[in-house]
């Protein structure tokens, strides 16, 4: 069996590792034009926290992806691999002065080890006139560490990695893949001519503030998320923006909102400012398709893209679901 995977972000790599587990004798090749720090995954803070709007094809499948993904990350966190893979535990508060609904999250309230209403005292733990709050304990995966860790693991188990831009599925026809996994994120917009894929631009600052030990979310996309070496300050969500340049006005607004919550951050050194385009799709696409190639032959494809602002959170869940799809596809049970 020969599998190809397009994409080397968190979705491509979790899919590749899952494939190796399920098909230990298969030949597996990752093809991508960007790796590690050049991917969107690298920009993410990596907190496990799906937005309530995150959606797969059904509510049941969405929940299954999230449950499986959480256990995947939490199992790594409990193992000796955790510091190498960049996975840690993180607790924190989500506050709002607007609505109690903002601090609830039906997708994870029953799943996380701790998700509870914040007390009146806890609403005063950082500055702001907070009326509603929740406290939670979750995982954080820093892709700066996870992507190289996963790539190394994939290669050690016999996987191959090639740098290549793929403008159409026909470009890789010569490889004769039995199945090709499409984990191209925003790249799927052009590759599949999928108008439902939309970039949602985000900008963050990575600052050195080792004294910050808790996560804080406030209104208007404000977040303070401590990672392994830096704290991520965010953010913004700009729909259908393709601007990959750092915008100084976004940075100023992020600083003002985060400093407003935790004034000690004014003393933090800014290490990096980064921009990423979240690959948003109303319904994340994990399904099979038979594609007719330019040479007249067909290619079995399993799509796995469109995770928006929650790809680190959910990638292992959609990767496991992609295994079910490929099994059905190879057994001839797929609904195509
Ligand atoms: C500011 C910001 C903060 C975020 N914070 C979080 C967070 O805290 N938690 C969370 O869960 N998510 C977060 N996200 C979202 C997360 O980063 C994305 O959902 C995730 O990275 C998507 O992963 P991906 O593998 O699909 O895409 P990518 O990481 O973009 O990888 C796509 C891969 O496909 C390859 N590719 C694409 N097109 C082609 C082509 N035509 N030919 C060859 N290769 C191709 C690329 O080279 C790349 O290797 C954040 C995003 C941003 C921007």
């Amino acid at each position: 069996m020969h599998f190809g995977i397009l994409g080397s972000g968190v979705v491509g790599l979790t899919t590749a590792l899952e494939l190796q587990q399920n098909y230990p004798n298969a030949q597996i090749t990752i093809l991508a034009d960007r790796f590690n720090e050049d991917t969107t995954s690298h920009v993410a803070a990596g907190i496990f926290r799906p937005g309530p709007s995150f959606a797969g094809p059904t509510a049941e499948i969405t929940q299954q992806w999230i449950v499986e993904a959480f256990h995947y990350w939490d199992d790594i966190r409990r193992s000796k691999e955790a510091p190498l893979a960049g996975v840690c535990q993180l607790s924190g508060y989500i506050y709002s002065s607007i609505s109690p609904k903002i601090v609830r999250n039906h997708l994870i309230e029953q799943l996380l080890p701790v998700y509870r209403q914040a007390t009146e005292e806890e609403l005063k733990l950082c500055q702001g006139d907070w009326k509603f709050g929740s406290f939670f304990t979750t995982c954080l995966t820093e892709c700066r560490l996870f992507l190289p860790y996963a790539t190394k693991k994939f290669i050690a188990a016999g996987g191959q990695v090639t740098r290549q831009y793929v403008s159409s599925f026909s470009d890789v026809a010569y490889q004769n893949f039995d199945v090709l996994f499409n984990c191209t994120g925003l790249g799927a917009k052009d590759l599949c001519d999928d108008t439902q894929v939309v970039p949602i631009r985000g900008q963050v600052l990575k600052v050195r503030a080792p004294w910050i030990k808790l996560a804080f979310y406030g209104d208007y996309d404000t977040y303070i998320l401590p990672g392994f070496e830096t704290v991520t300050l965010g953010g913004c969500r700009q729909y259908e923006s393709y601007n990959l340049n750092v915008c100084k006005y976004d940075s100023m607004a992020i600083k003002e909102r985060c400093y407003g919550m935790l004034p000690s951050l004014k003393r933090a050194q800014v290490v990096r400012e980064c921009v990423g385009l979240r690959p948003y799709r109303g319904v994340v696409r994990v399904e099979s398709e038979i594609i007719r190639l330019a040479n007249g032959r067909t290619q079995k494809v399993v799509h796995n893209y469109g995770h928006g602002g929650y790809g680190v959170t959910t990638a292992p869940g959609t990767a496991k679901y992609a295994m079910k799809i490929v099994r059905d596809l190879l057994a001839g049970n797929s609904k195509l």
Side-chain angles (χ1 to χ4, degrees):
M1 198 68 71
H2 189 195
F3 294 121
I5 296 166
L6 292 181
S8 192
V10 68
V11 175
L13 284 166
T14 47
T15 303
L17 294 180
E18 208 57 45
L19 261 180
Q20 281 182 327
Q21 280 219 330
N22 282 267
Y23 298 90
N25 298 322
Q27 187 189 342
I28 309 176
T29 307
I30 293 178
L31 302 153
D33 64 339
R34 281 172 291 116
F35 295 90
N36 298 318
E37 62 273 15
D38 297 325
T39 63
T40 310
S41 302
H42 187 264
V43 177
I47 191 168
F48 182 95
R49 183 183 167 272
S53 64
F54 177 84
T58 66
E60 198 188 347
I61 291 171
T62 307
Q63 194 64 45
Q64 179 194 328
W65 290 352
I66 290 169
V67 169
E68 292 193 336
F70 180 71
H71 291 304
Y72 178 93
W73 293 126
D74 203 47
D75 285 350
I76 297 181
R77 178 192 69 77
R78 289 165 190 269
S79 77
K80 68 178 193 330
E81 299 292 286
L84 306 175
V87 185
C88 63
Q89 195 169 51
L90 181 63
S91 294
Y93 292 92
I94 173 161
Y95 295 135
S96 175
S97 55
I98 301 170
S99 159
K101 286 192 186 143
I102 293 175
V103 304
R104 302 291 305 267
N105 191 322
H106 70 284
L107 294 172
I108 50 172
E109 281 180 12
Q110 306 301 321
L111 173 65
L112 296 186
V114 183
Y115 200 110
R116 61 164 174 81
Q117 197 178 340
T119 63
E120 286 296 320
E121 289 72 30
E122 288 174 316
L123 293 180
K124 297 180 193 126
L125 283 178
C126 73
Q127 300 203 2
D129 183 19
W130 305 115
K131 293 193 172 54
F132 314 101
S134 297
F135 177 78
F136 58 85
T137 297
T138 188
C139 288
L140 178 141
T141 303
E142 202 159 303
C143 281
R144 178 180 64 84
L145 299 168
F146 181 74
L147 300 183
Y149 163 84
T151 308
K152 213 168 141 189
K153 197 169 166 185
F154 173 71
I155 292 170
Q160 296 199 333
V161 180
T162 306
R163 188 182 290 270
Q164 183 180 348
Y165 175 74
V166 176
S167 63
S168 119
F169 292 105
S170 297
D171 285 4
V172 290
Y174 69 94
Q175 299 248 27
N176 294 316
F177 292 123
D178 293 292
V179 182
L180 190 53
F181 290 78
N182 173 20
C183 309
T184 52
L186 193 59
K189 187 174 179 60
D190 289 337
L191 189 62
C192 304
D193 206 9
D194 186 342
T195 51
Q196 292 182 58
V197 179
V198 179
I200 300 185
R201 180 183 179 278
Q203 183 166 320
V204 290
L205 288 89
K206 308 268 180 184
V207 304
R208 208 169 295 288
W211 60 90
I212 304 291
K213 307 289 188 196
L214 283 174
F216 290 99
Y217 281 89
D219 290 319
Y220 313 116
D221 247 318
T222 305
Y223 49 88
I224 298 164
L225 301 173
F228 274 71
E229 281 175 7
T230 58
V231 179
T232 303
L233 309 184
C236 59
R237 271 164 218 266
Q238 294 155 357
Y239 193 78
E240 226 160 2
S241 167
Y242 289 85
N243 179 10
L244 275 167
N245 297 318
V246 171
C247 166
K248 67 176 178 183
Y249 302 107
D250 286 337
S251 286
M252 283 159 67
I254 290 166
K255 283 182 188 168
E256 187 172 314
R257 283 183 275 126
C258 292
Y259 294 175
M261 286 182 88
L262 292 180
S264 71
L265 285 169
K266 288 181 187 167
R267 298 219 177 266
Q269 179 205 347
V270 176
V271 180
R272 268 192 324 280
E273 294 170 282
C274 340
V275 175
L277 305 180
R278 302 174 179 94
Y280 175 76
R281 193 174 189 272
V283 175
V284 180
R285 188 176 187 201
V286 193
E287 63 184 18
S288 57
E289 186 180 11
I290 307 278
I291 290 177
R292 185 155 294 280
L293 303 176
N295 64 9
R297 293 180 27 210
T298 57
Q299 173 70 64
K300 292 188 180 81
V301 173
V302 175
H303 299 289
N304 186 5
Y305 66 83
H307 298 64
Y310 311 108
V312 183
T313 299
T314 55
T318 62
K320 284 182 197 293
Y321 188 71
M323 296 306 116
K324 175 183 156 6
I325 290 179
V326 75
R327 265 195 305 277
D328 287 351
L329 191 60
L330 292 172
N333 298 334
S334 107
K335 288 193 206 110
L336 288 170

